[in-house]
Amino acid sequence: LYEQKEIFLLEIGIGKNDFPMGYNCPQYKVCSQTCKILDYNASYFFFSRACLPAPMFSRNDVSIWSILKKCIGMELSKIAMPVIFNEPLSFLQRLTEYMEHTYLIHQALTTTDSIERMKCVAAFAVSAVASQWERTGKPFNPLLGETYELIREDLGFRWVSEQVSHHPPVSAFQAEGLKEDFVFHEAEPKGLITLELPKYNEAYTWTNPTCCVHNIIVGQLWIEQYGSVEVINHKTGERCSMTFKSCGLFGKELHKVEGYILDKSKKKLCAIYGKWTECLYTVDTAAFEAHKKSDKKNPEDKKGKQQEPEELPPPEAETVQVIPGSELLWKITPRPENSSKYYAFSTFAMQLNELEKGMEGVIPLTDSRLRPDIRAMENGDIDQASAEKKRLEEKQRIARKNRSKSSEEWKNRWFQQGSNPHNKAQDWLYLKGYWDRNYTQLPDIY
C-alpha cells in the first residue's frame, strides 16, 4: 500500500521532496492539478476539496430592494429570493459547521476539573457561530424530509440531520463522537442546544445569540451576533454567562463577547472575553474587572466615527486586547486564500457538498448532496440552479396539497418530538437507526 501511494503521488506530479518529512509528513498538501487536499497521515487515501468547482457569481448587478418592494405585506419567509443570493449549501449542511472546532469537546473530555471543562464547552459554543462571519449568502431552504450526514474520522464525529417541519421550518440534528464519548443535538431555529459527556455524566445546554444581517437594501452587507448566551452544566449547577455585544453607535463593541463562569451559588470564578470572529480568552475575574475600569477611563477617540451603526461595515482586521495573565481557549481556523471567491467559505465548508464516488449508493436519496439545484449552483450553472430550485419548490407544494386531500400524514424518519430530559422543554429527539443504512420507503423529494 505504501508503494502504491508513492507511485500515485509521482503520477500526479508530487514528489517526495515536496514534503519536509517525505511521504509521512503530517501536514496537508494541496494538489493544484486536482484541487484536492491529500492527507498523508491516513492509512488510506483521503481526498477533500480545497475549492469549489466554480467561483461565485457577482451579486452587484442585482438589487435586493427591487425584489423586496414587490413583496410589501408578504410574510418574509415566503418571499422567493433569486438563487443568485444563495450559497451552494443547504441549511442542513450549514448547521454542520458547528462541528468545525470539535477538538474543543475532545479537550473537555481530557480534564477532570469541571471548571476547565466549562471553559472548553463555552469556547465551543462561541466557535459554533464563527462560521457566519462575512457569510452573507443565504443557504438553500431544506425540503421536508431532506437529510444530511457527515462522517469526519479526523475530527472524531459523525452527524445526521433532517428537515422535520416545513411550516414553521425546523431542522433537527444529532452529532456523536466516534468513540461514543459525546452526543451533541439541537433543533433549529432557536432550539435548545445540548451537549452530553457520558464519561462525566454531564449535560450542558445553551441557545445561540441573535444573528442580524445589516444593510440588506443598501450599503455593504455585514453580520452581527448579539444577545445573552448561558451555558449550564446541569450536573454541577455551574454556568457560563456570556454577552455577545451589539455593535453600538461607534462600532467599538462589534463582535465582542464577554462574561463569567459562575459556580452554583453564582460566585464569579473567572472571566471570559474575546470576539466570536477571532478568539476567546479566560482570565482571573479581578484582572478582567480592573481592565474594564481602565478601559472606561481611557475611551477611544471617537472623532470621525459618527456613522450610524447600520452603515458600519465589519472592520478589515480584528484584534483583541489581551489582558496579562490570560489563557487562550480558542482561535478561529484561518480561511483559505481563495475564500472570497467561494462565498467566504472555510476549508471545512468547501468540503460539505463534495460527493465522493464511494458515497453513491450508500447515503440515502434524501441527502443534501444529491439536490440538483445546489449541485448546479456549485458547478456554476446559475440558470439550471434557478430552474431546479423552482421545480423542487413546486414539487413540494404539490406533495403537501395531495397530503391535505387524503388521510395521509407526514412522518419524519429519524427524529420525533419529545421532552428534552435536561430542562423538560419540547425538543426533537433522534430515533436511532440511521447508521444501519436501511433506507427503504424514503420520500421522493428531488
Side-chain angles (χ1 to χ4, degrees):
L1 179 63
Y2 187 87
E3 290 176 355
Q4 289 176 352
K5 180 186 290 188
E6 184 168 342
I7 292 170
F8 175 80
L9 293 173
L10 291 172
E11 285 178 350
I12 63 173
I14 298 178
K16 195 170 186 177
N17 294 332
D18 290 327
F19 307 98
M21 294 171 58
Y23 290 126
N24 291 322
C25 178
Q27 299 173 342
Y28 288 98
K29 177 72 176 179
V30 177
C31 172
S32 59
Q33 295 181 18
T34 60
C35 215
K36 299 278 189 178
I37 294 177
L38 289 80
D39 180 359
Y40 297 95
N41 271 330
S43 58
Y44 52 87
F45 288 120
F46 176 76
F47 297 95
S48 291
R49 301 188 301 197
C51 67
L52 301 182
M56 65 181 289
F57 290 86
S58 173
R59 298 174 180 141
N60 295 335
D61 298 330
V62 184
S63 168
I64 297 183
W65 173 239
S66 65
I67 299 162
L68 292 180
K69 68 182 182 181
K70 299 176 183 178
C71 305
I72 294 174
M74 291 177 61
E75 184 182 335
L76 186 61
S77 63
K78 295 183 179 180
I79 297 175
M81 298 293 284
V83 74
I84 193 72
F85 293 111
N86 284 77
E87 62 178 23
L89 289 177
S90 168
F91 183 67
L92 296 183
Q93 294 169 310
R94 181 78 175 261
L95 282 175
T96 314
E97 294 182 66
Y98 281 174
M99 305 303 294
E100 183 170 356
H101 301 94
T102 307
Y103 73 89
L104 291 165
I105 298 178
H106 294 298
Q107 195 170 302
L109 289 164
T110 63
T111 177
T112 56
D113 188 327
S114 64
I115 301 303
E116 292 301 312
R117 288 198 296 276
M118 177 60 82
K119 291 177 183 179
C120 295
V121 175
F124 178 73
V126 173
S127 76
V129 301
S131 65
Q132 297 185 35
W133 177 43
E134 295 185 331
R135 292 280 289 281
T136 55
K138 177 183 178 294
F140 283 71
N141 293 331
L143 304 169
L144 184 62
E146 183 177 331
T147 62
Y148 180 71
E149 71 167 71
L150 184 66
I151 304 174
R152 289 293 299 259
E153 296 189 18
D154 55 332
L155 299 180
F157 76 86
R158 65 183 185 182
W159 164 292
V160 59
S161 54
E162 180 181 14
Q163 188 69 6
V164 293
S165 174
H166 185 64
H167 286 304
V170 179
S171 307
F173 70 78
Q174 172 149 310
E176 305 166 352
L178 293 180
K179 295 181 180 179
E180 300 182 350
D181 46 1
F182 73 85
V183 177
F184 177 60
H185 57 93
E186 188 208 6
E188 281 276 357
K190 299 302 287 184
L192 187 72
I193 301 173
T194 305
L195 173 65
E196 300 175 10
L197 305 180
K199 179 179 179 180
Y200 299 103
N201 194 28
E202 288 180 341
Y204 300 79
T205 62
W206 67 93
T207 56
N208 279 329
T210 299
C211 180
C212 178
V213 181
H214 292 270
N215 297 344
I216 289 180
I217 295 177
V218 66
Q220 181 181 343
L221 287 171
W222 59 280
I223 290 176
E224 178 181 24
Q225 301 274 357
Y226 63 90
S228 298
V229 172
E230 188 167 63
V231 182
I232 302 172
N233 183 333
H234 289 268
K235 179 181 178 181
T236 65
E238 296 156 350
R239 61 191 62 209
C240 180
S241 295
M242 297 180 287
T243 300
F244 284 65
K245 298 281 191 173
S246 59
C247 175
L249 184 60
F250 302 105
K252 184 182 176 182
E253 304 294 299
L254 184 64
H255 300 160
K256 282 190 176 181
V257 180
E258 60 182 46
Y260 298 93
I261 292 179
L262 315 167
D263 64 16
K264 61 182 178 181
S265 62
K266 297 187 178 181
K267 177 185 176 182
K268 295 177 182 177
L269 302 176
C270 61
I272 296 277
Y273 71 96
K275 292 186 177 181
W276 62 268
T277 55
E278 184 182 358
C279 56
L280 197 69
Y281 288 88
T282 181
V283 72
D284 177 74
T285 300
F288 177 72
E289 293 181 347
H291 173 80
K292 293 272 289 180
K293 288 181 181 179
S294 174
D295 197 40
K296 286 182 179 180
K297 290 179 181 178
N298 301 291
E300 293 182 1
D301 180 19
K302 296 183 176 66
K303 187 177 181 180
K305 297 183 179 180
Q306 301 300 319
Q307 291 176 295
E308 290 296 322
E310 288 293 313
E311 298 175 356
L312 280 169
E316 292 183 3
E318 292 285 5
T319 56
V320 171
Q321 186 177 355
V322 181
I323 302 169
S326 297
E327 173 195 356
L328 178 66
L329 295 177
W330 161 77
K331 191 170 185 178
I332 194 170
T333 304
R335 290 180 180 172
E337 292 182 4
N338 61 0
S339 178
S340 61
K341 297 180 181 179
Y342 298 103
Y343 308 90
F345 280 7
S346 64
T347 301
F348 185 92
M350 297 273 194
Q351 301 162 5
L352 291 175
N353 200 46
E354 184 174 10
L355 184 62
E356 298 175 354
K357 290 183 179 179
M359 292 179 178
E360 296 184 56
V362 176
I363 62 175
L365 296 177
T366 51
D367 194 279
S368 301
R369 295 178 182 88
L370 303 176
R371 276 189 64 158
D373 50 354
I374 296 177
R375 184 63 57 192
M377 186 177 191
E378 182 183 89
N379 290 333
D381 192 336
I382 201 73
D383 292 333
Q384 184 183 355
S386 181
E388 287 291 346
K389 179 173 177 285
K390 291 178 181 177
R391 181 184 67 81
L392 293 179
E393 289 170 348
E394 182 60 24
K395 184 173 183 175
Q396 185 172 232
R397 279 192 289 269
I398 292 172
R400 186 169 63 249
K401 187 176 181 179
N402 290 338
R403 283 195 302 273
S404 67
K405 292 179 179 179
S406 67
S407 58
E408 179 186 1
E409 291 186 4
W410 177 267
K411 291 184 179 179
N412 296 301
R413 183 69 182 271
W414 310 113
F415 292 83
Q416 70 177 9
Q417 281 190 300
S419 176
N420 187 296
H422 308 295
N423 73 343
K424 308 306 178 185
Q426 193 73 356
D427 204 348
W428 286 88
L429 307 177
Y430 176 54
L431 287 171
K432 299 186 182 301
Y434 176 88
W435 302 106
D436 295 339
R437 300 295 186 192
N438 180 20
Y439 304 134
T440 58
Q441 298 180 336
L442 292 175
D444 175 18
I445 58 175
Y446 300 147

